[in-house]
């Protein structure tokens, strides 16, 4: 009798000591815009895989690409996560910028000249401040990944000067800052989701688009008349791993650490893939695009400066909207890199 009683007490103690897995959801939904084999989708899938392995299946995460959890409207992703409609996301700073104005800092035209500049922001005081702002807005940011520098392509002619953009109908993301930038360059920007972009390029409803090189190749944008590509590094698109705050608080401290470290590891993988063939003297990603029959223009410093000058008014206006102190810190971090 005594042994049976001790066994019962031991069983109860074991249950109490277990992580609160019994209260965990059967599945946690991760929102992304694009799936693997895009670097973005690979990073999200890696996060889910690592968490599943490291928690022995206590936390089961599944990626839902195509912004399908918000009916394809990627600009609503942050709000949906904050409200708990989405559990987690690997989201674009661009897509979340309508709700978090400070995220527009990465879309300031020609702020970041190279990858070291991106790292100076995401891994420095600017990144820390942005994570604090996100947490104040109901989500828990964990790590950075990368969609890459956004380059410009079109079906008409090579772009070397601001004048080459005049009159071109350009698909841009749903951000007022992108609209202002292309308007300043004399183009006719049209905002549309990525789901609508390729059909519009196919029919000629728009002449061009801007996206990272990985998107250009994986999505085969070159097959819809985009035979002119300019590497101008005008803005970058860092990605953020984040979790709804209530979901985060439901995890044990041990599981929180596992989820965070898995995000850091998956983010590092995503950044490595996004930069493959574009750094450290390796130009193979550009050579791959040229082999597909695309004319690639790489701007000289003087040519790039002409675009900087043409968009300076937009930069100055948006610096005030984003927060002059934060932009000043970004400029200092980049100068000190």
């Amino acid at each position: 009798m005594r042994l049976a009683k001790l066994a019962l007490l031991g069983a109860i103690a074991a249950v109490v000591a277990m992580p609160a897995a019994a209260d965990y959801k059967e599945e946690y939904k991760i929102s992304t815009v694009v799936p693997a084999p895009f670097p973005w989708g690979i990073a999200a899938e890696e996060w889910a895989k690592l968490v599943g392995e490291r928690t022995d299946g206590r936390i089961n995460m599944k990626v839902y690409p195509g912004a399908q959890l918000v009916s394809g409207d990627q600009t609503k992703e942050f709000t949906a996560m904050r409200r708990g409609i989405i559990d987690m996301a690997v989201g674009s700073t661009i897509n979340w910028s309508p709700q978090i104005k400070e995220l527009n800092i990465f879309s300031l035209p020609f702020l970041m000249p190279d990858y070291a500049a991106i790292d100076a922001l995401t891994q420095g005081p600017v990144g820390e401040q942005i994570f604090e702002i996100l947490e104040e807005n109901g989500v828990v940011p964990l790590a950075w990944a990368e969609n890459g520098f956004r380059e410009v392509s079109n079906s008409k002619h090579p772009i070397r000067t601001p004048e080459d953009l005049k009159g071109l109908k350009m698909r841009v993301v749903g951000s007022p800052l992108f609209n202002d930038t292309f308007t300043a360059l004399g183009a006719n920007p049209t905002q549309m989701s990525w789901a609508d972009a390729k059909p519009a390029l196919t029919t000629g409803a728009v002449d061009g688009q801007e996206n990272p090189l990985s998107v250009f190749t994986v999505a085969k944008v070159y097959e819809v008349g985009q035979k002119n590509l300019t590497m101008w590094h005008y803005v970058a698109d860092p990605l953020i791993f984040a979790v709804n705050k209530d979901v985060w608080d439901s995890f044990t401290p041990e599981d929180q650490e596992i989820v965070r470290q898995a995000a850091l590891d998956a983010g590092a993988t995503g950044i490595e893939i996004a930069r493959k063939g574009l750094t450290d003297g390796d130009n193979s990603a550009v050579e791959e695009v040229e082999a597909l029959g695309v004319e690639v223009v790489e701007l000289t410093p003087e040519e790039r400066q002409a675009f900087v000058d043409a968009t300076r008014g937009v930069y100055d206006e948006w610096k005030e909207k984003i927060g002059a102190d934060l932009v000043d810190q970004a400029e200092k971090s980049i100068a000190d890199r």
Side-chain angles (χ1 to χ4, degrees):
M1 181 71 178
R2 177 177 171 79
L3 289 175
K5 186 174 181 180
L6 287 173
L8 177 61
L9 290 172
I12 292 171
V15 169
V16 171
M18 284 174 61
D23 296 328
Y24 288 4
K25 296 183 180 182
E26 291 185 7
E27 176 186 285
Y28 291 92
K29 294 178 171 59
I30 307 173
S31 178
T32 67
V33 173
V34 294
F38 295 93
W40 189 341
I42 292 173
E45 293 284 359
E46 180 72 3
W47 187 26
K49 179 178 78 72
L50 291 176
V51 170
E53 291 173 351
R54 295 174 183 179
T55 62
D56 295 322
R58 283 194 308 278
I59 300 177
N60 175 36
M61 294 158 52
K62 182 178 178 181
V63 177
Y64 287 80
Q68 60 185 283
L69 298 177
V70 284
S71 302
D73 188 346
Q74 56 220 53
T75 61
K76 293 182 178 178
E77 186 178 69
F78 183 84
T79 299
M81 179 170 48
R82 179 167 52 191
R83 292 177 178 173
I85 299 169
I86 292 173
D87 300 313
M88 307 165 174
V90 180
S92 160
T93 52
I94 297 169
N95 292 337
W96 294 0
S97 64
Q99 290 79 42
I100 306 297
K101 64 180 176 63
E102 290 84 359
L103 292 177
N104 283 293
I105 197 166
F106 299 105
S107 299
L108 278 175
F110 303 100
L111 168 65
M112 298 165 286
D114 51 34
Y115 288 103
I118 299 176
D119 293 340
L121 299 192
T122 60
Q123 307 306 312
V126 170
E128 291 174 3
Q129 288 182 56
I130 286 174
F131 271 23
E132 289 172 4
I133 292 166
L134 290 172
E135 191 143 14
E136 290 168 2
N137 280 272
V139 306
V140 180
L142 305 178
W144 295 92
E146 196 167 292
N147 199 23
F149 276 110
R150 301 179 75 90
E151 318 297 3
V152 64
S153 71
N154 79 101
S155 60
K156 301 297 185 183
H157 51 247
I159 295 173
R160 287 189 175 276
T161 69
E163 289 70 28
D164 293 328
L165 271 161
K166 290 191 183 303
L168 289 183
K169 295 173 290 184
M170 300 296 298
R171 176 266 172 179
V172 296
V173 298
S175 162
L177 176 47
F178 282 72
N179 191 74
D180 289 354
T181 298
F182 277 86
T183 298
L185 292 168
N188 295 322
T190 301
Q191 296 180 351
M192 62 179 68
S193 70
W194 179 239
D196 295 330
K198 200 168 181 183
L201 292 166
T202 302
T203 62
V206 292
D207 300 316
Q209 59 88 54
E210 48 78 53
N211 255 307
L213 201 59
S214 61
V215 173
F216 188 86
T217 53
V218 176
K220 299 182 178 180
V221 179
Y222 54 87
E223 291 185 347
V224 290
Q226 299 296 290
K227 296 299 186 181
N228 302 284
L229 177 70
T230 295
M231 305 287 289
W232 63 345
H233 278 27
Y234 86 119
V235 302
D237 187 11
L239 308 174
I240 298 173
F241 292 75
V243 182
N244 166 270
K245 190 174 189 311
D246 290 338
V247 169
W248 181 254
D249 289 343
S250 74
F251 293 153
T252 65
E254 294 78 12
D255 282 344
Q256 286 178 348
E257 182 54 34
I258 289 171
V259 172
R260 185 188 304 277
Q261 187 59 52
L264 290 166
D265 294 343
T269 297
I271 290 171
E272 181 181 356
I273 295 170
R275 297 183 183 184
K276 186 177 180 181
L278 293 167
T279 58
D280 300 325
D282 180 2
N283 208 37
S284 58
V286 176
E287 292 168 356
E288 178 186 346
V289 172
E290 290 176 324
L292 295 168
V294 177
E295 181 175 348
V296 178
V297 170
E298 299 195 56
L299 300 178
T300 66
E302 293 76 19
E303 288 172 333
R304 183 181 183 276
Q305 187 60 44
F307 286 97
V308 173
D309 295 342
T311 56
R312 194 64 195 184
V314 174
Y315 185 106
D316 292 340
E317 178 185 349
W318 276 87
K319 178 176 180 175
E320 298 303 316
K321 291 180 180 180
I322 293 165
D325 289 345
L326 185 63
V327 177
D328 284 342
Q329 178 61 67
E331 293 169 349
K332 181 179 185 303
S333 295
I334 291 170
D336 293 343
R337 71 189 186 284

